[in-house]
C-alpha cells in the first residue's frame, strides 16, 4: 500500500513565523500535491510538483511556497504565517501518467496560527 | 473548465438504511471518476473509481456507476452502518495532473 506521511498531525504557530510542513511518500510517485481543506470550501490545491525541483501553482498559491529536493519529499512553506492560513493541510501523491491514477493522501496537518 | 457538483449535506440516516449521494460533473473528453472518504480526524482515502463510461466501481459495499449520458457518478450503499459516518468526496481527473473535487457530503448514521 502507498504510504504518505505528514510530519505533524497538529501544529500551533504564531503570526509572522515561517512554517514548514513536510510530506514523504514511499511509492516512488512522480506527482505530489498540497491542498488545504476548509469547511464549506472543500479541498483547494495550493501547489503541485511533477518532478524533483519542478513545481506549478495550484488554485490558491498566494502566501505559500514549496520545495522538492528529493523525489519522495515535498515541503510546503508558509513564508510569514497569518491567521487566515489556519486550516487543515493535506498532502497527496500519484503516478505521473494515466488519468485513471488516483491520488493517495496523508492524514493531514491541522495548523493553527495564533 | 472541469467541475464536480455534490449534493449538500449533512445526510442523516438510520442504520441499515439505503444511501445515495449524488454527484454530477462537467468535463471535456473522458475523465476518470473517484469517490474518496474522510473519517473524522483523518486524511482522504480512495473508496472506489471508474475510468470509462458504464464502469461500476465498488468497495466495502459501496458502488457507483459512471453514467456519461447523465454526467453522473452517484454513490450508493444498500445498508449503511454507524461506522460509515464520514465525509464523502466525489472527484474527477481529466487529462492533466489535477483532481477536481466536489465540496464533500457529510454522512451521519444513527444507531
Amino acid at each position: 500500500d502507498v504510504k504518505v506521511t505528514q510530519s505533524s498531525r497538529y501544529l500551533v504557530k504564531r503570526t509572522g513565523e515561517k512554517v514548514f510542513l513536510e510530506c514523504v511518500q514511499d511509492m516512488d510517485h512522480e506527482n505530489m500535491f498540497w491542498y488545504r481543506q476548509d469547511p464549506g470550501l472543500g479541498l483547494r490545491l495550493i501547489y503541485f510538483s511533477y518532478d524533483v525541483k519542478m513545481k506549478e501553482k495550484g488554485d490558491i498559491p498566494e502566501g505559500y511556497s514549496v520545495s522538492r529536493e528529493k523525489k519522495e519529499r515535498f515541503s510546503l512553506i508558509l513564508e510569514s504565517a497569518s491567521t487566515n492560513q489556519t486550516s487543515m493541510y493535506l498532502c497527496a501523491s500519484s503516478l505521473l501518467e494515466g488519468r485513471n491514477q488516483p491520488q493517495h493522501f496523508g492524514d493531514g496537518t491541522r495548523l493553527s496560527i495564533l | 473548465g472541469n467541475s464536480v457538483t455534490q449534493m449538500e449535506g449533512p445526510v442523516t440516516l438510520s442504520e441499515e438504511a439505503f444511501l445515495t449521494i449524488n454527484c454530477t460533473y462537467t468535463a471535456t473528453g473522458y475523465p476518470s471518476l473517484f469517490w474518496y472518504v474522510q473519517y473524522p480526524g483523518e486524511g482522504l482515502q480512495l473508496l472506489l473509481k471508474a475510468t470509462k463510461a458504464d464502469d461500476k466501481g465498488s468497495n466495502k459495499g459501496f458502488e457507483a456507476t459512471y453514467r456519461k449520458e447523465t454526467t453522473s457518478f452517484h454513490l450508493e450503499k444498500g445498508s449503511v452502518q454507524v461506522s460509515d459516518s464520514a465525509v464523502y468526496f466525489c472527484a474527477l481527473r481529466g487529462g492533466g495532473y489535477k483532481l477536481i473535487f466536489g465540496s464533500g457530503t457529510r454522512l451521519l448514521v444513527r444507531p
Side-chain angles (χ1 to χ4, degrees):
Chain A
D1 276 357
V2 176
K3 183 69 173 174
V4 179
T5 302
Q6 294 184 230
S7 55
S8 304
R9 292 297 300 274
Y10 301 94
L11 206 54
V12 180
K13 296 291 183 181
R14 296 203 176 275
T15 303
E17 282 193 67
K18 192 168 186 176
V19 181
F20 294 84
L21 303 183
E22 307 287 346
C23 175
V24 176
Q25 51 94 4
D26 66 355
M27 283 300 291
D28 204 36
H29 283 172
E30 292 87 359
N31 294 339
M32 296 189 75
F33 306 82
W34 275 107
Y35 295 87
R36 65 177 282 176
Q37 183 180 16
D38 300 288
L41 298 177
L43 275 75
R44 293 180 291 168
L45 182 64
I46 304 171
Y47 268 97
F48 68 97
S49 168
Y50 51 90
D51 200 354
V52 174
K53 297 190 186 296
M54 306 303 289
K55 61 186 179 185
E56 287 199 21
K57 294 179 180 179
D59 301 316
I60 51 163
E62 297 78 17
Y64 303 94
S65 62
V66 289
S67 172
R68 192 158 181 210
E69 297 296 320
K70 294 184 178 181
K71 191 174 185 179
E72 67 271 18
R73 186 180 296 271
F74 191 37
S75 302
L76 180 70
I77 303 157
L78 285 66
E79 298 289 345
S80 178
S82 63
T83 55
N84 63 10
Q85 293 177 309
T86 291
S87 186
M88 169 75 107
Y89 289 87
L90 293 167
C91 176
S93 71
S94 74
L95 288 170
L96 180 67
E97 296 298 334
R99 60 176 177 80
N100 61 338
Q101 296 299 330
Q103 291 180 14
H104 301 269
F105 284 81
D107 285 337
T109 296
R110 189 166 293 282
L111 175 64
S112 296
I113 307 296
L114 304 179
Chain B
N2 296 344
S3 66
V4 175
T5 302
Q6 282 182 245
M7 61 187 293
E8 287 196 24
V11 174
T12 303
L13 296 173
S14 297
E15 206 165 23
E16 300 184 0
F18 184 86
L19 168 71
T20 300
I21 299 178
N22 290 338
C23 170
T24 57
Y25 68 90
T26 302
T28 54
Y30 302 94
S32 291
L33 301 173
F34 306 87
W35 276 102
Y36 283 83
V37 58
Q38 185 178 34
Y39 298 103
E42 297 183 11
L44 275 69
Q45 300 176 25
L46 178 66
L47 183 58
L48 54 85
K49 70 177 185 181
T51 59
K52 61 182 186 297
D54 300 324
D55 264 4
K56 178 184 283 187
S58 62
N59 186 26
K60 300 182 181 179
F62 291 89
E63 57 183 36
T65 302
Y66 189 147
R67 302 280 189 206
K68 192 162 179 63
E69 64 276 12
T70 55
T71 62
S72 65
F73 191 55
H74 304 322
L75 182 69
E76 296 181 338
K77 187 176 185 183
S79 177
V80 293
Q81 305 300 313
V82 172
S83 57
D84 293 326
S85 298
V87 180
Y88 293 81
F89 291 91
C90 184
L92 73 82
R93 181 175 178 180
Y97 304 115
K98 291 173 59 172
L99 267 182
I100 308 298
F101 286 91
S103 56
T105 302
R106 182 175 300 277
L107 170 65
L108 177 61
V109 180
R110 301 191 185 281

